[in-house]
């Protein structure tokens, strides 16, 4: 389940659902579907995923540092027809 963290030793692991699409200008856009407020644009899918990993880690860390629960969206937001779904496992 993407909304529940798992642990690997002392390091929590999380699953993020990412949707990627090409916008009207031809650039790639990506968004995390199960955590609000994380979107980016880039020249390649690799650029998108790298930026989202960095932003997602920072956002999750801020919640954990403040002893707040991570506000996962479960189930994730719906995927549009022009989006491609990627699953992004990440460790903090």
């Amino acid at each position: 389940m993407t909304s529940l963290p798992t642990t690997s030793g002392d390091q929590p692991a999380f699953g993020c659902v990412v949707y990627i699409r090409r916008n009207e200008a031809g650039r790639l856009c990506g968004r995390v579907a199960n955590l609000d407020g994380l979107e980016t644009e880039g020249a390649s899918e690799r650029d998108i995923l790298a930026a989202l990993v960095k932003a997602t880690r920072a956002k999750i860390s801020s919640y954990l540092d403040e002893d707040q629960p991570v506000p996962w969206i479960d189930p994730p937001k719906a995927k549009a027809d022009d989006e491609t779904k990627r699953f992004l496992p990440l460790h903090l």
Side-chain angles (χ1 to χ4, degrees), residues 2-3 15 23 25-27 31 34 42 45 66 72 83 87 89 91:
T2 59
S3 63
N23 68 14
R27 289 187 51 84
R31 65 184 175 109
N34 60 337
E45 187 171 321
E66 296 174 13
W72 294 109
E83 292 178 312
F87 184 74
H91 295 275

Side-chain angles (χ1 to χ4, degrees), residues 10-21:
D10 292 351
Q11 192 175 42
F14 301 91
C16 296
V17 177
V18 175
Y19 299 147
I20 298 174
R21 68 176 178 85

Side-chain angles (χ1 to χ4, degrees), residues 2-3 11-12 30 38 42-44 50 52 55 63 70 76 82 86 90-91:
T2 59
S3 63
Q11 192 175 42
L38 297 170
S44 70
L52 288 175
Y63 285 112
V70 179
D82 63 343
R86 299 287 185 249
L90 60 99
H91 295 275

Side-chain angles (χ1 to χ4, degrees), residues 55-68 70 92:
T56 303
R57 282 184 176 145
K59 190 165 193 169
I60 291 171
S61 291
S62 71
Y63 285 112
L64 296 179
D65 289 346
E66 296 174 13
D67 290 324
Q68 297 292 318
V70 179
L92 294 186

